[in-house]
Amino acid sequence: MSFNFEFVAEREDAGQIISEEYAPGVVKDFLFAGLQAFKPGSFVHVKAVGHLFSNDYQTSTGQLVVEQVILRKPKPPAA
């Protein structure tokens, strides 16, 4: 089974997006676990690309990433 998706979203929204993606359960479980490392309200970059061969993990390939994205805040105007 092949899977390929990537997005940036708020942590709470990312869980919903992952659940709607077409990917094996083991991939989704890993990504959900990764989301727990970040505090609510933070933005995360999620990437999942690969192919699982009938649960044969020695010949399967993939890249799974869950990382926080730091958003820059504009400086307040000088008074």
Side-chain angles (χ1 to χ4, degrees):
M1 167 187 253
S2 293
F3 53 94
N4 184 357
F5 57 91
E6 182 173 13
F7 62 88
V8 173
E10 194 168 359
R11 183 189 142 209
E12 291 74 24
D13 296 334
Q16 178 65 34
I17 295 169
I18 291 169
S19 67
E20 295 171 359
E21 291 291 344
Y22 181 72
V26 68
V27 170
K28 290 181 178 185
D29 291 346
F30 180 89
L31 296 175
F32 285 132
L35 290 178
Q36 299 307 310
F38 304 104
K39 63 183 177 182
S42 60
F43 280 78
V44 293
H45 169 232
V46 176
K47 180 178 181 179
V49 178
H51 186 84
L52 292 182
F53 292 95
S54 300
N55 293 327
D56 180 0
Y57 298 112
Q58 293 192 5
T59 58
S60 298
T61 61
Q63 179 184 22
L64 303 175
V65 176
V66 179
E67 60 187 352
Q68 185 172 7
V69 176
I70 306 299
L71 300 178
R72 292 178 44 182
K73 296 180 182 174
K75 292 182 180 179

